[in-house]
């Protein structure tokens, strides 16, 4: 083999390593229940795809992120929403106006007789379910280190996650070098977390409830990939989320795009966040 050909082979091999992506599968288990595959994660070159899976293991919804833009894909109706900086800025402004209007209405209701106030509250709940809580600030998410630990064959760093004063998660995070493809996920997840940070006002909207629950929100505050998470509700363990498999794989650009034939639907302030 000539030196020139050898150099080409080395470059191609290195290129494959540099641009190899990661594919990780996460399972969930409720207290007393059996484990079920719940999520499939693809990451490569700063791009991220998270599939929420149905009982048959097929994607039900998908979140795509790249170039400071999120696509929320619904496979049941073959549609997707695009969320970029312009979208979130517009929705954030609408949120501020709606919040101010809600606070003004609550002040007016405070001076109403109890019967009239109860009637107004019932009417608001029925007609504007997405408006509830707009006047209040969201509870802060806090991550605290909890010392070394282990899960299965992994040695990890433990973290406790709090929403306000309530502990919601215990997380076992493993150095990324121990999980194939996890470096790609962590890079993309931290970029996505920075994107969220700029638009906290808009992220209070009900349409983004699933995004707010995403592990992306806390990954940037941890040193490693979360291989095991215990979920808590009202101080009691509710279930688990854990790594089922991980592999490196070169992914095509199509992996991070909506399937052909899916239609874009504009985001709006109405119920469910779309129209």
């Amino acid at each position: 083999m000539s030196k020139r050909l050898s150099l080409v082979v080395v470059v191609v091999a290195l290129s494959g390593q540099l641009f190899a992506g990661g594919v990780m599968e996460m399972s969930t288990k409720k207290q007393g229940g059996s484990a079920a595959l719940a999520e499939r994660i693809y990451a490569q070159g700063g791009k991220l795809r998270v599939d929420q899976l149905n009982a048959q293991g097929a994607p039900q919804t998908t979140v795509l992120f790249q170039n400071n833009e999120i696509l929320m894909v619904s496979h049941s109706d073959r549609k997707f929403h695009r969320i970029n900086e312009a979208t979130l800025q517009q929705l954030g402004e609408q949120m501020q106006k709606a919040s101010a209007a809600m606070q003004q209405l609550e002040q007016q209701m405070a001076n109403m007789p109890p019967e009239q106030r109860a009637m107004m509250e019932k009417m608001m709940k029925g007609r504007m379910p997405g408006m509830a809580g707009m006047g209040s600030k969201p509870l802060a998410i806090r991550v605290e280190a909890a010392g070394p630990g282990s899960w299965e064959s992994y040695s990890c760093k433990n973290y406790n996650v709090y929403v306000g004063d309530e502990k919601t998660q215990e997380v076992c995070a493993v150095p990324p070098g121990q999980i194939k493809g996890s470096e790609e996920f962590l890079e993309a997840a931290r970029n996505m977390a920075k994107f969220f940070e700029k638009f906290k006002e808009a992220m209070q909207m009900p349409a983004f409830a699933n995004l707010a629950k995403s592990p992306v929100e806390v990954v940037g505050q941890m040193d490693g990939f979360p291989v095991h998470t215990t979920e808590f509700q009202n101080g009691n363990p509710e279930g688990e989320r854990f790594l089922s498999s991980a592999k490196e794989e070169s992914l095509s650009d199509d992996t991070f795009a909506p399937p052909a034939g899916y239609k874009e639907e504009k985001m709006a302030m109405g119920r469910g966040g779309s129209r």
Side-chain angles (χ1 to χ4, degrees):
M1 184 182 292
S2 69
K3 291 183 178 179
R4 180 174 296 180
L5 183 58
S6 298
L7 181 60
V8 170
V9 171
V10 170
V11 170
V12 170
L14 288 175
S15 297
Q17 292 175 10
L18 288 173
F19 295 100
V23 182
M24 287 143 284
E25 292 185 330
M26 307 297 293
S27 293
T28 58
K29 182 181 179 181
K30 292 293 185 182
Q31 287 293 103
S34 56
L37 187 64
E39 195 172 74
R40 188 172 292 117
I41 301 168
Y42 304 82
Q44 181 172 279
K47 296 175 285 189
L48 182 67
R49 169 178 174 152
V50 181
D51 289 341
Q52 298 294 332
L53 308 177
N54 60 22
Q56 291 72 44
Q60 185 171 359
T61 60
T62 295
V63 175
L64 303 168
F65 175 76
Q66 61 176 311
N67 300 324
N68 282 335
E69 184 172 83
I70 298 170
L71 301 183
M72 298 173 63
V73 183
S74 172
H75 297 283
S76 60
D77 53 15
R78 298 170 63 87
K79 294 179 180 179
F80 66 92
H81 297 116
R82 186 183 306 273
I83 307 169
N84 52 29
E85 293 195 8
T87 305
L88 290 181
Q89 184 173 351
Q90 181 181 8
L91 293 177
E93 291 171 356
Q94 293 178 359
M95 277 286 293
Q96 289 177 346
K97 292 178 181 178
S99 178
M102 179 62 70
Q103 288 178 340
Q104 184 177 6
L105 182 57
E106 288 175 348
Q107 290 173 359
Q108 294 173 354
M109 289 171 57
N111 298 322
M112 292 180 179
E115 297 82 2
Q116 188 178 358
R117 184 167 63 249
M119 186 181 301
M120 283 290 295
E121 290 173 349
K122 184 177 181 180
M123 181 183 70
M124 288 168 59
K125 185 177 181 180
R127 294 185 180 181
M128 300 181 292
M131 297 287 285
M134 277 191 177
S136 58
K137 292 184 178 181
L139 295 174
I141 296 177
R142 186 174 82 258
V143 178
E144 294 184 356
S150 64
W151 179 74
E152 294 193 344
S153 62
Y154 297 106
S155 295
C156 60
K157 293 182 179 180
N158 287 331
Y159 295 89
N160 293 328
V161 180
Y162 296 85
V163 176
D165 294 327
E166 181 181 356
K167 183 168 75 170
T168 58
Q169 296 177 339
E170 290 180 355
V171 181
C172 167
V174 170
Q178 297 184 27
I179 308 294
K180 291 183 178 180
S182 60
E183 296 96 333
E184 295 285 344
F185 166 76
L186 291 171
E187 177 191 355
R190 285 165 180 157
N191 289 339
M192 192 171 175
K194 291 177 183 176
F195 179 72
F196 286 168
E197 185 69 24
K198 292 189 290 186
F199 299 99
K200 285 202 169 187
E201 194 79 35
M203 296 307 294
Q204 297 175 51
M205 290 188 64
F208 302 136
N210 288 336
L211 289 180
K213 295 176 183 177
S214 168
V216 168
E217 178 73 18
V218 298
V219 161
Q221 302 180 53
M222 296 179 185
D223 183 16
F225 180 86
V227 295
H228 182 264
T229 300
T230 301
E231 304 281 351
F232 288 82
Q233 184 71 36
N234 297 323
N236 298 312
E238 184 183 38
E240 303 172 67
R241 181 180 184 272
F242 54 90
L243 179 69
S244 301
S245 66
K247 63 180 180 179
E248 290 182 335
E249 181 178 326
S250 293
L251 304 171
S252 69
D253 289 341
D254 290 342
T255 304
F256 304 97
Y262 280 39
K263 293 184 178 180
E264 181 174 355
E265 189 172 65
K266 300 294 184 182
M267 296 295 299
M269 274 288 291
R271 297 182 189 183
S274 63
R275 56 188 170 96

